[in-house]
Amino acid sequence: MTQLVAGVDSSTQSCKVTVRDAATGAVVREGRASHPDGTSVDPRHWWDALGAAIADAGGLADVGAVAIAGQQHGMVALDADGRVVRDALLWNDVRSADAAAQMVDELGREAWVTRTGLVPVASFTGTKLRWLRDAEPDNAGRVAAVALPHDWLSWRLRGYGPVDESPLGPDLDALATDASDASGTAYWDPVRREYDPELFELALGRPMRVAGSEPAADTVVVPRVVAHDEAMGTLTVDVTLPSGRAAPAGLLVGAGLGDNAGAALGLGLGPGDVAVSLGTSGTVFGVTGTDVLDPSGTVAGFADGTGSRLPIVTTLNAARVLEVIGGLLGVDHDALGELALQAPAGADGLVLVPYFVGERTPNRPDATASLLGMTPGTTDRPHLARAAVEGMLCALADGLAAVEGTGVTVSRLLLIGGAARNEAVRTVAAQVFGRDVLIPKPGEYVASGAARQAAWALTGTLPSWDTATATVPADPHPEVLEQYRAATR
C-alpha cells in the first residue's frame, strides 16, 4: 500500500506544499500560496498561507507524515499567552546591523566562531533579539518564548497557539526545532549540538531555558532540538487550518529543517557536493562530515538535516539583480538572458556590483549597487544585461571560494533556484565558476527535502529519491571574476 508524505517550504515569498510517495518520491500533488512582501511580517500570514497551500494541494487526510522547512533566522517572539509580541524580523531585515557589531566587539570574532560556528551579522536571530532589547524594551520584557518560522508553524500545526485560536492552547513547552535551524540563531553550538545560554542572555538580556525543562522565574523558552530522523510528535486532535481543511489526528509531524538544509536533503547532497541557489537571495552550501570554522565569518558552519555540517555563504542579492535590471530595461528574465548572450564574456569591462539592498556577504548592510566601466561602447542594453548576470554570479563565486577555503572539497557543483532555469545564467555560470555545472530538473527542492525527512520519520529509513541532472560543460573565463574582484576591493 502506498504511503504518502508531505513537505512544506515556507519561504520569504510563498508557501509551497508537495505530497509525495514515501518510497519513490514521486509527486502526487502540489499546492502553493503567497506571503506578503517586507522584511518584517506578522507570522499570521504564514499560518494563513500554510492553510491555503495545503488546501491547494488537496489536504492532508491521506498523508501519514508532514515536515516543514522554513526561512531561517526569523525572530518569532511569543508572550505567555502564545501570542506574537511583534511582527517577526526576517533574515533580510538589516536594522540589527549595529547590534551585531556590538555583539562581535563584546566577545571577539574567534570566540563566536568557536562557540557557534559563525560571526554575528544582522541576519541572525540573536542580533535581532539584541535589537529588540535595546529598541523596544517593553516588547522585550513581554517575551516568554523565541521561535523560528518553521518552529512556530509546526507548533501551530500540532494544535498549539493562542488560547482562543488553538485546541491545545499556549503550551510553550511543546515548542520544538531541529539542529539545522537552531544553528542559525547565534546561540546554538553545532559542534556540541546544544544551546549556549550565556550567548542567549547576551542577546536578549534575560536567561533562557529549553522547552520541556524545569520552569524557572523570568526565563525565556527556546524550542527543544529534535533529532533529524525523529518527529516533533503526532497530532492528538484534529486541527482546523485557516482554509477550513483539517490536519487530522494521528498525523506525524517531523522535525522540520531550515530551508537550505531542506534543499540539501531534497537534492540528496553528500560530501563533495556543493549547491549554488539563485532565489531572490543567493546561497552557496555543501555537506561535509567535518567541523567548519571560518574566523572571517564569511562561511557559517551550520548543521544539516542528517547529522553532518552544512557550510554556507549567503548573499542578499541574487535573482533580485535580474529583476532590477530587467525592470530597468523593460524585459523579463528570459529576454534579459537573450540580451546578455549578445555581449561578450566580461561585458567589455562593464561591471555591476549588485548590492541593491546592502549585502550580507561581504558584510556591508549599508552598501548600494554600483556600475563601473561605462563607455560609449558598453552603455547599451546587451552589455548591461551581461553585467547583471555576471555580477550576480561573481558574488556567489566568491562565496564558493570561501567554502573551499574552509577545506571543503567540491567534486560536484549544482545550480538550483528560479534563476537557474535561464539559459544565459547557466552559460555564464560555467564561465564564472570555471567548472562543469550540474542543473537538476526544476523542482521545489526545499519542500522535497522536508517530505523526504517526513518519510524518514514515518518509516525509520531515509529514502533514496533520484534527482536527474543536466551538465553545462566548464568554459573558464577567469577574467570575468578578476575584474569583478578588482571592482569590489
Side-chain angles (χ1 to χ4, degrees):
M1 182 176 177
T2 300
Q3 290 182 297
L4 299 183
V5 292
V8 177
D9 172 14
S10 182
S11 70
T12 313
Q13 295 179 313
S14 64
C15 182
K16 288 147 287 196
V17 175
T18 181
V19 177
R20 296 179 178 246
D21 183 310
T24 67
V27 177
V28 176
R29 55 186 191 265
E30 295 181 308
R32 67 180 297 141
S34 296
H35 287 162
D37 293 331
T39 64
S40 179
V41 174
D42 185 342
R44 180 181 299 274
H45 293 298
W46 305 335
W47 179 236
D48 291 343
L50 176 63
I54 288 174
D56 193 40
L60 301 175
D62 55 350
V63 170
V66 62
I68 298 175
Q71 54 177 304
Q72 291 195 260
H73 316 318
M75 180 191 72
V76 183
L78 303 175
D79 66 15
D81 293 326
R83 302 185 190 281
V84 175
V85 170
R86 66 157 347 268
D87 286 358
L89 300 188
L90 307 190
W91 63 272
N92 54 354
D93 192 302
V94 298
R95 74 185 73 182
S96 59
D98 289 343
Q102 293 168 10
M103 292 168 71
V104 174
D105 288 344
E106 287 165 7
L107 287 186
R109 303 173 74 87
E110 289 190 7
W112 281 104
V113 170
T114 299
R115 294 170 68 168
T116 66
L118 53 83
V119 175
V121 294
S123 297
F124 298 134
T125 317
T127 70
K128 300 178 190 304
L129 292 175
R130 170 63 71 88
W131 175 87
L132 184 70
R133 186 198 77 177
D134 294 342
E136 299 179 358
D138 289 344
N139 279 338
R142 293 174 53 207
V143 175
V146 177
L148 301 169
H150 115 255
D151 315 341
W152 182 79
L153 280 170
S154 299
W155 185 65
R156 293 300 311 269
L157 184 63
R158 290 163 55 217
Y160 301 100
V163 65
D164 54 351
E165 298 178 21
S166 57
L168 299 179
D171 183 356
L172 302 180
D173 280 299
L175 284 165
T177 190
D178 87 305
S180 70
D181 225 1
S183 63
T185 60
Y187 46 83
W188 195 82
D189 184 344
V191 176
R192 292 183 295 124
R193 304 184 80 79
E194 59 186 38
Y195 287 106
D196 190 320
E198 181 183 341
L199 297 183
F200 182 90
E201 189 164 357
L202 180 74
L204 187 59
R206 294 171 58 197
M208 56 150 276
R209 73 173 180 87
V210 179
S213 63
E214 187 69 25
D218 197 38
T219 53
V220 176
V221 175
V222 296
R224 65 186 177 90
V225 177
V226 177
H228 44 269
D229 58 344
E230 296 181 3
M232 291 183 175
T234 302
L235 266 65
T236 58
V237 295
D238 288 341
V239 177
T240 301
L241 297 161
S243 63
R245 293 285 188 119
L251 180 67
L252 191 70
V253 180
L257 313 94
D259 51 2
N260 292 297
L265 197 60
L267 288 164
L269 297 190
D273 293 335
V274 173
V276 176
S277 178
L278 302 174
T280 302
S281 61
T283 52
V284 180
F285 56 90
V287 174
T288 179
T290 60
D291 293 338
V292 177
L293 299 176
D294 178 11
S296 75
T298 302
V299 181
F302 292 171
D304 79 337
T306 68
S308 295
R309 299 296 295 277
L310 190 81
I312 186 169
V313 173
T314 303
T315 68
L316 295 180
N317 301 275
R320 80 167 72 245
V321 179
L322 308 187
E323 292 163 6
V324 170
I325 300 302
L328 176 65
L329 298 179
V331 296
D332 61 17
H333 280 203
D334 289 340
L336 183 76
E338 292 172 4
L339 284 171
L341 292 178
Q342 295 172 23
D348 292 317
L350 188 68
V351 178
L352 176 67
V353 180
Y355 302 158
F356 285 102
V357 291
E359 191 46 85
R360 169 173 167 175
T361 308
N363 185 25
R364 299 175 184 174
D366 299 320
T368 56
S370 303
L371 190 63
L372 308 173
M374 298 176 70
T375 68
T378 62
T379 309
D380 61 17
R381 290 162 62 84
H383 282 84
L384 182 55
R386 182 86 188 200
V389 175
E390 290 181 344
M392 173 185 71
L393 289 168
C394 283
L396 290 160
D398 277 347
L400 178 63
V403 169
E404 289 184 286
T406 65
V408 174
T409 300
V410 183
S411 301
R412 297 197 311 157
L413 183 67
L414 294 83
L415 194 68
I416 63 171
R421 302 177 186 181
N422 188 294
E423 189 63 35
V425 171
R426 299 179 180 194
T427 298
V428 175
Q431 296 172 348
V432 169
F433 295 122
R435 63 176 77 223
D436 291 351
V437 177
L438 303 183
I439 313 294
K441 180 182 178 181
E444 300 294 349
Y445 285 103
V446 176
S448 174
R452 193 171 175 227
Q453 186 200 61
W456 196 359
L458 183 65
T459 67
T461 302
L462 179 64
S464 296
W465 294 350
D466 291 335
T467 301
T469 60
T471 301
V472 181
D475 181 21
H477 280 266
E479 71 278 7
V480 178
L481 189 53
E482 288 170 2
Q483 69 181 17
Y484 175 85
R485 287 174 172 169
T488 54
R489 287 196 184 107

